[in-house]
Amino acid sequence: MTTRDDIRNVAIIAHVDHGKTTLVDGMLKQSNVFRQPDQAGSLILDSNDLEREKGITILAKNTAIRYGDVKINIIDTPGHADFGGEVERVLNLADGCLLLVDAAEGPMPQTRFVLKKALEIGLRPIVVINKIDRPNARIDEVLARTQDLFLELATEPEQLDFPVIYTIAKQGQAMTDPASPRADLKVLFDTIVDTVPAPSVASGALQMLVTTLGYDSYQGRIAIGRIFRGSVRPGQSVAVIGRHGTVRQSKVVAVYSFEGLQRVPVESAEAGDIVALTGIEDAAIGETVAAAEQPDALPGIEVEEPTVKMTIGVNTSPFAGREGTMGTSRQLRERLTRELETNVALRVEETGRADTFLVSGRGELHLAILVETMRREGYEFEVSRPEVITREVDGQTLEPFEELVIDTVEENVGFVTQAMAARKGQMTNMVTTETGETRMEFTIPTRGLIGFRNEFLTATRGNGIMSSLFLGYRPCAGEIVSYRNGALVALEEGQAVSYGLANAQERGLTFVEPGTPVYGGMIVGLNSRQEDIVINVCKDKKKTNVRSSTADILVRLTPATILSLEQSLDFIGDDELLEVTPESLRLRKAVLSHDLRGKRRR
């Protein structure tokens, strides 16, 4: 077995918002990928609209740069725990990794998750402490905590011997000593070349593991992965080995290598490189592309099981079909099946109803991104409240638990501890800094976190950060009492008017503006009390022949509270649904008939 000294394969891993994609921006700009680097913009790899709007990486992506005679293949990965499946499926492309740690926040829950996965498959780590220019940076303390994390997770002594680089990714600077700043990322490039092992090249027939799927309207499906053995060329006959050992024959039409942001056609590619193949129309993630004459399979991609589920079904509201172009059960089934081809952490099951599907994912955000993507594609449907997936082991019910880390100011500690106690959370650690910032760590059931994020942001006025990591299944923690008040439910179909909404606002918050179409059973607000109230928001003031003063005519309304998709999923109860269309999000009761709901309550 030999090595290819002209290639380095490196993954960039970190907790969310620690600067991975910004660092990739700097690496691309300083490697002459762009003719005018200053005009290339920022978050270059976060190319889809959702990633740019939310400011997070959702999909793992490949790019490549040239540094001297060495080609560096870079895999940018998501940092949010809900997209851990993306990290798990692409880490085996790499031989080494850059572990980014924020110089102020230090190691966070997802830092532990991605480092554990990287060390388990033997990646050679390089620690990058980023954002050292932050006013509250704690460089020495963060380095010490990172070393403690390595001591806890390392499986071999060599993994404790890692280089440390300090960076200001936004300014494209890297250095080995914070006291000796540099003007570029040369130190980082040199460290990658010197530290990350060159890929091993095994002689023999072709073996390539498919880790990513792309699509081109002209060439069709594109299978992307790393070649572990042999070589591949256009026109070559290959065998595609499925996850269950099935073998089918296919033929490679074109072979592409990555150069910067482009895919460049090549005459052949050898072991160690990351390539894209066209012509294999039925390729799937986790399958092996092998030589037709020697179909040897590689180990498949293993990802952790989902922890949260919800139903997605055909829209049954009176407004169904008005705003979306696709909403039949056949169209929903095809779309969800297509999602399974690329979203390896997702599960879709049939239910007892032909028009409803059970969808399971790694967290609320994982499912919310799927819902938002589908609505932007023109689908309309209805979804239920997310709930956790439980297991039965030896007659005992187990539920998923998570490690929760909350960073906030000292004045919010009382609210957080009280809210966590109500949600069955147990504090495991609490540290307060000299500046008054407090970090609290909890062990909490996953169901205790459903609906908490928005409550947390409101109570802390945005002055807090929370992140969680799946720990495993443990015995059920008991009942968690819901403190959400009742809903204001529209009486009849029509348009909401100011006079009717003014009456509704005497009883609580409203979610709709004047002129909004509503229907009977639609939730238009939040009651100030525990019970639901049916209210007529379409009721206008009766006209009489008695003149009224201008002050009597004018109705003053408090601005409506408009819920986002994530807030809506957190808000709905077990007997409620969220109607999703390309133009609207409507909260509604699962049973629209007021009489039938009353009978069921009685």
Side-chain angles (χ1 to χ4, degrees):
M1 184 177 290
T2 59
T3 58
R4 288 191 60 182
D5 294 328
D6 61 331
I7 289 180
R8 299 293 187 274
N9 296 320
V10 61
I12 301 185
I13 58 176
H15 186 79
V16 64
D17 201 32
H18 279 199
K20 299 178 302 301
T21 306
T22 305
L23 183 63
V24 175
D25 289 350
M27 297 173 74
L28 288 169
K29 291 175 181 178
Q30 293 188 25
S31 58
N32 300 320
V33 169
F34 304 105
R35 188 168 297 175
Q36 295 178 306
D38 294 338
Q39 298 180 13
S42 60
L43 304 180
I44 298 167
L45 286 189
D46 284 351
S47 52
N48 71 53
D49 294 338
L50 266 177
E51 289 180 319
R52 289 188 171 273
E53 287 174 20
K54 295 185 176 294
I56 60 173
T57 300
I58 297 172
L59 301 173
K61 303 174 189 69
N62 299 77
T63 186
I65 60 175
R66 292 278 177 182
Y67 183 67
D69 297 330
V70 178
K71 177 182 178 181
I72 302 176
N73 287 310
I74 301 171
I75 303 105
D76 184 25
T77 65
H80 199 286
D82 282 18
F83 307 109
E86 290 288 307
V87 181
E88 291 170 293
R89 73 174 172 83
V90 297
L91 276 186
N92 54 15
L93 292 175
D95 299 297
C97 63
L98 302 182
L99 177 70
L100 261 71
V101 184
D102 189 294
E105 295 181 2
M108 297 289 279
Q110 183 69 357
T111 311
R112 172 188 294 271
F113 172 79
V114 294
L115 179 60
K116 180 181 178 182
K117 294 296 180 183
L119 295 180
E120 282 176 353
I121 62 176
L123 299 189
R124 183 69 190 275
I126 299 172
V127 172
V128 179
I129 298 181
N130 191 29
K131 305 183 183 181
I132 62 172
D133 58 329
R134 290 182 61 172
N136 56 345
R138 303 169 293 142
I139 299 175
D140 294 338
E141 181 183 342
V142 166
L143 177 58
R145 291 180 56 200
T146 305
Q147 291 170 333
D148 291 342
L149 188 62
F150 270 85
L151 281 170
E152 183 180 344
L153 299 178
T155 57
E156 298 177 4
E158 299 80 36
Q159 293 173 337
L160 299 175
D161 182 21
F162 53 85
V164 180
I165 304 295
Y166 304 91
T167 61
I168 307 174
K170 207 165 188 178
Q171 300 178 17
Q173 299 178 5
M175 59 214 79
T176 54
D177 183 358
S180 305
R182 300 285 295 270
D184 53 29
L185 295 173
K186 185 176 184 300
V187 169
L188 179 62
F189 289 133
D190 288 336
T191 306
I192 292 173
V193 173
D194 295 339
T195 305
V196 176
S200 299
V201 178
S203 59
L206 170 67
Q207 272 188 319
M208 185 190 102
L209 184 66
V210 179
T211 57
T212 308
L213 293 178
Y215 184 80
D216 182 86
S217 56
Y218 176 68
Q219 296 176 309
R221 181 172 298 188
I222 302 172
I224 302 171
R226 174 175 169 175
I227 303 175
F228 286 88
R229 189 178 73 185
S231 62
V232 64
R233 65 185 185 279
Q236 180 176 341
S237 296
V238 295
V240 181
I241 307 170
R243 298 172 187 171
H244 302 293
T246 58
V247 179
R248 56 191 188 277
Q249 301 299 315
S250 188
K251 188 175 184 179
V252 176
V253 173
V255 180
Y256 293 89
S257 180
F258 290 90
E259 293 288 346
L261 302 180
Q262 306 295 322
R263 287 195 289 259
V264 181
V266 293
E267 291 301 318
S268 66
E270 298 181 354
D273 208 349
I274 297 172
V275 297
L277 308 179
T278 65
I280 309 175
E281 285 300 318
D282 55 351
I285 291 175
E287 296 187 334
T288 301
V289 178
E293 66 277 6
Q294 190 177 342
D296 298 332
L298 288 164
I301 297 174
E302 299 293 334
V303 298
E304 293 183 1
E305 291 297 313
T307 58
V308 178
K309 62 183 179 182
M310 67 191 301
T311 61
I312 293 181
V314 173
N315 188 8
T316 58
S317 87
F319 293 171
R322 293 189 182 184
E323 299 173 355
T325 57
M326 292 172 284
T328 66
S329 59
R330 177 184 60 81
Q331 290 168 330
L332 289 178
R333 180 183 285 104
E334 289 176 353
R335 177 62 182 84
L336 292 172
T337 302
R338 191 163 70 248
E339 183 70 20
L340 290 175
E341 295 177 356
T342 56
N343 200 335
V344 294
L346 198 73
R347 302 287 185 271
V348 177
E349 303 171 40
E350 299 281 351
T351 65
R353 297 173 53 187
D355 60 352
T356 304
F357 307 93
L358 183 65
V359 181
S360 307
R362 295 279 277 267
E364 279 184 279
L365 184 60
H366 187 201
L367 297 176
I369 291 296
L370 171 63
V371 171
E372 180 65 30
T373 302
M374 290 176 63
R375 75 179 288 220
R376 294 189 182 199
E377 294 172 356
Y379 289 86
E380 71 166 58
F381 47 92
E382 59 189 27
V383 300
S384 68
R385 173 182 172 83
E387 57 182 85
V388 299
I389 300 172
T390 58
R391 294 178 178 176
E392 290 288 336
V393 178
D394 298 330
Q396 187 177 29
T397 301
L398 305 182
E399 66 174 334
F401 274 72
E402 301 196 27
E403 175 190 353
L404 175 68
V405 176
I406 292 178
D407 289 311
T408 186
V409 293
E410 199 167 357
E411 64 187 55
N412 296 325
V413 170
F415 157 75
V416 172
T417 52
Q418 184 177 359
M420 287 293 99
R423 293 169 177 269
K424 304 298 182 183
Q426 294 185 348
M427 183 181 290
T428 57
N429 192 23
M430 176 173 163
V431 178
T432 302
T433 65
E434 297 176 355
T435 59
E437 296 177 350
T438 302
R439 169 170 289 188
M440 292 172 282
E441 299 177 8
F442 297 89
T443 299
I444 184 172
T446 300
R447 62 191 167 100
L449 290 178
I450 295 178
F452 176 67
R453 186 176 300 275
N454 294 312
E455 180 186 339
F456 171 73
L457 292 175
T458 301
T460 61
R461 299 177 181 86
N463 195 0
I465 300 172
M466 60 174 285
S467 55
S468 60
L469 178 68
F470 175 63
L471 288 177
Y473 278 82
R474 299 180 181 181
C476 189
E479 183 181 1
I480 296 177
V481 180
S482 173
Y483 291 100
R484 201 205 84 179
N485 287 344
L488 301 179
V489 184
L491 173 66
E492 60 187 10
E493 185 172 335
Q495 276 197 344
V497 297
S498 298
Y499 185 76
L501 288 172
N503 289 333
Q505 289 190 349
E506 293 177 0
R507 293 166 172 80
L509 296 173
T510 54
F511 297 154
V512 295
E513 300 279 5
T516 303
V518 300
Y519 53 81
M522 178 175 161
I523 297 173
V524 295
L526 178 65
N527 190 12
S528 57
R529 300 188 178 186
Q530 290 290 320
E531 67 275 2
D532 295 341
I533 292 182
V534 177
I535 192 164
N536 188 1
V537 293
C538 304
K539 180 182 178 181
D540 210 344
K541 186 173 183 180
K542 291 183 184 290
K543 295 180 175 61
T544 69
N545 59 356
V546 178
R547 292 186 179 183
S548 300
S549 66
T550 305
D552 190 36
I553 297 172
L554 183 64
V555 177
R556 292 180 175 86
L557 291 176
T558 303
T561 301
I562 307 300
L563 301 181
S564 66
L565 174 60
E566 289 86 355
Q567 290 171 329
S568 298
L569 290 173
D570 285 346
F571 177 86
I572 56 178
D574 295 333
D575 64 336
E576 296 165 354
L577 298 171
L578 174 64
E579 178 187 351
V580 181
T581 75
E583 299 178 17
S584 307
L585 296 171
R586 299 186 185 96
L587 302 166
R588 52 161 288 187
K589 288 293 182 179
V591 178
L592 296 179
S593 169
H594 307 306
D595 293 338
L596 189 53
R597 285 203 310 276
K599 288 179 181 178
R600 290 190 176 184
R601 281 199 302 271
R602 289 193 294 269

